Amino acid sequence: MREPPVKPIEWLGGSVRIIDQRDLPQAETHVVLSEAAEFADAIRTLAVRGAPLIGIAAAMGVAVEAGRWAASPWDVFEAKVARAIGDLEATRPTAVNLSWALRRMERVLDAGRARASPAKTAGSLEDEALRIYREDLDMGCRIGEIGADLIEDGFTVLTHCNAGGLATSGYGTAIAPVYVAHSRGTRLSVIADETRPLLQGARLTAWELKHAGIDVTVVCDSAAHLMLASGKVDIVFVGADRIASNGDFANKIGTYGVALSAGANGVPFYVAAPSSTIDVGIMTGDRIPIEERDGEEVTTIAGTRVVPEGVKAANPAFDITPADLVTGIITERGLFRPPFEIG
Ligand code: MRU
């Protein structure tokens, strides 16, 4: 496996180093997290973000917390780890990768109860967290290989938000095909929607593609529709935070509009996500919880208020795109075409 284009998270043994994504692109700040509360804070404030990375960070947070209490009696150890799992799960509601990873960690904790050895269970929790990380690397590579077959020489790809290496263990989901196509020598360029309010497209997608030497142009979210209507886009790739069994999916606010425009203009619209993003317990997208974030993210830009004082702002962080707007869903298991029956 070739080296991932970025390393947003690294296990240091007892602690974890992350790129603080709030500081990009002005600064590449690394922060070390050494207790579960710090992981929860990093996830809540989007220092680490993107569905797969949230799951990996939470799993590593549990493993770090387990290591801190490994010399304690079993009851104390178990209570501390269970509390960490609960606190991490409460950070963000939409990306199912978070609860998917935490259920895996919980199963390891439960299995340790019979032996009641905190040190051994802490070791098993570390192994599981690293397994989740490595599996995500593999899934990203596979998604990249499958998706790259859809990118023809000279194509322009449009994407929304950041579903690149920074949102995962390092290869990305929607951007993984772009990396693989580029490495195969396919000439391509990317249009990145800026993605208001937190600008993940302008700040993060543009940053990582520029680092990789891939041509990227940032547009205002409202300009994406003109790009699609005027024949400037050949294919759309987006990521997902949760996919229902019927193929409806949640992704960053604004994705639904991109899907509508792509459909209206005959541009193929693909979703790329690892199987950890599929919620087999949900049949349709209307069951997906939508995170509502602080209105201040909308009323201010870089700390300056841009909305009159006293005016409220709504800030849903995700929207639901119905499956009938989706050309195909790429997971590590293959490319699925409608009608979808995922799971
Ligand atoms: O709020 P964020 O930055 O965590 O939202 C991220 C997205 O919506 C991504 O598109 C999604 O998680 C897919 S990441 C591979």
Side-chain angles (χ1 to χ4, degrees), residues 1 9 76 82 103 128 167 204 240 246 254 258 295 298 319 326:
M1 190 191 296
I9 196 160
V76 175
R103 289 296 77 74
E128 186 69 353
L204 308 177
N246 74 341
V258 174
V298 174
D319 58 24
V326 178

Side-chain angles (χ1 to χ4, degrees), residues 50-175:
L53 184 58
I54 292 171
I56 295 163
M60 288 187 177
V62 173
V64 164
E65 193 68 11
R68 291 180 66 218
W69 300 97
S72 306
W74 174 262
D75 287 354
V76 175
F77 171 82
E78 188 182 20
K80 295 287 184 189
V81 176
R83 165 120 194 239
I85 291 173
D87 290 349
L88 285 158
E89 189 151 17
T91 51
R92 299 195 71 189
T94 302
V96 75
N97 310 62
L98 179 63
S99 51
W100 172 86
L102 289 172
R103 289 296 77 74
R104 282 180 60 163
M105 299 303 281
E106 205 165 53
R107 281 198 287 275
V108 175
L109 179 65
D110 289 348
R113 193 170 296 124
R115 198 159 50 176
S117 161
K120 287 208 172 82
T121 307
S124 304
L125 286 165
E126 176 178 328
D127 292 345
E128 186 69 353
L130 293 179
R131 206 172 294 124
I132 288 170
Y133 169 75
R134 282 192 295 266
E135 283 173 17
D136 190 72
L137 284 172
D138 289 346
M139 292 192 284
C141 281
R142 190 75 201 112
I143 288 168
E145 294 291 338
I146 297 167
D149 292 343
L150 299 166
I151 302 176
E152 293 173 25
D153 199 50
F155 259 24
T156 296
V157 175
L158 184 136
T159 191
H160 191 75
C161 193
N162 172 259
L166 284 168
T168 65
S169 52
Y171 290 103
T173 59
I175 298 299

